[in-house]
Amino acid sequence: MINKDKFPLSLDITNLGNDLTIDEICQRQPIVDMFDSLLRKGECLGNDFTGWVKAEDILTKDEFGRIVACAEKLKAQTDVMLVIGIGGSYLGARAVIEALSPCPEKVVFAGQNISASYMTALKNKLKGKRVAINIISKSGTTTEPALALRVFMDLVKGCEKATLVATTDQNKGALLNLANKLGIEKFVVPDNIGGRYSVLSAVGILPIAYADVDVKALTQGAVDCASLAKNTSLKENPAYLYAVIRNVLSAKGFDIEILSSFEPCLLYMAEWWKQLYGESEGKQGQGLFPASCSFSTDLHSLGQIIQEGKRNITETFLIIEGGEPSCVVPMWDDDSDGMNYLAGKEVAWVNNMAYEATAKAHREGGVPNITIKLSQLDAYSLGALIYFFEIACAITCLIRGINPFNQPGVEAYKKHMFKLLGKPGYEKESVDTQGKQIITF
Ligand code: PA5
């Protein structure tokens, strides 16, 4: 039985201001109910990819156990795990690891770019270390991770069976073929779960477990959030409330949503969120552009444009309410910097005041904002947050007639790149024949 009062996630809508009233929001209840029902019955747009909705069914107990056992084995045999993947095949794991792992440097990432400098520096960093590689690609054919695997493969040469693990489709793809040929351990990206909704499958759980994060609590947080989210009432379901608020604000001309946090360890959580919303919602000429800020750092740069730039920005704060370590502002005898008024105060309290002040100032500056509050930052609350964002994203898209689970737009660059790279089969693709226009000093 979930104790609703102790659930770590809530949504504060105090700073929405006059842009949106609770009545306006609640008028959308019937449409929310309809799309919730279609999503759960698997009758919505993109219904082949709703396997994450029942969070408790993403992994069987046996598969979960096999993943954790593999992580334990790899931890015993190696010093570091190299996760090779791009988009949904790495962002979720990175987000959770950077937010929670006691040793985030134990997991490093490649295959998320094609930078020779990045790869060379990483290879140098890994020299002399015992490395496990987890290559993750649902399609098994994505260029970036496939290229990175070739570059980094010599790190596991000769011991592939022990330290190379593939997470990919159960039935098809070049990576599956390679894994079968090498006879290495494999994990499945479920058919009915797309990349950006896959963090709680083997895609995320293996690297996250390697990084010593409590994957059981992470999963339980998502399962409990899924259970609570079955109540569709906009007055009691913060995920659906968030979905509706985004849609109404978007209809009112707000084009950008900034996810702002005051904890640097949540930077990759924002990256994961940006992919989830950008790739799910950005279609058919629609979608709030998902941006992120890390405060108070960015208050001294982007803060200006948020406060006084074009008024098309809405903001979602992601705030951790408690559990930070004690770090007290020291007293100075001469008060030469005039900071003694804060002496004896917790830095976490100062940070919280900075958040309160920013939310107020941005509201006054014409930026309607809401706040997702986590009572503390731990595996359980992060699992809940992941599910919250996923279900809200699906409902946000469905209400607007958008398929939340495909990404047709990401193919466009590939067509041009494959032509330029000389990939067999792309010889006939047309590329821009206009001369280049380069302006020099
Ligand atoms: O969300 C998605 O589906 C995408 O971002 C994919 O995760 C990304 O393109 C990587 O694809 P793959 O896992 O097939 O290599």
Side-chain angles (χ1 to χ4, degrees), residues 85-91 136-143 145 167-168 189 193-198 203 275 279 405-407 410-411 414:
I86 193 165
S89 287
Y90 95 103
L91 275 168
I136 309 171
S137 176
K138 178 170 177 165
S139 63
T141 53
T142 307
T143 309
T167 308
T168 190
V189 190
I193 301 182
R196 57 191 177 276
Y197 293 81
S198 71
V203 171
Q275 186 209 356
E279 234 178 15
F405 310 121
N406 65 0
Q407 53 283 328
V410 301
E411 297 309 312
K414 292 184 189 168

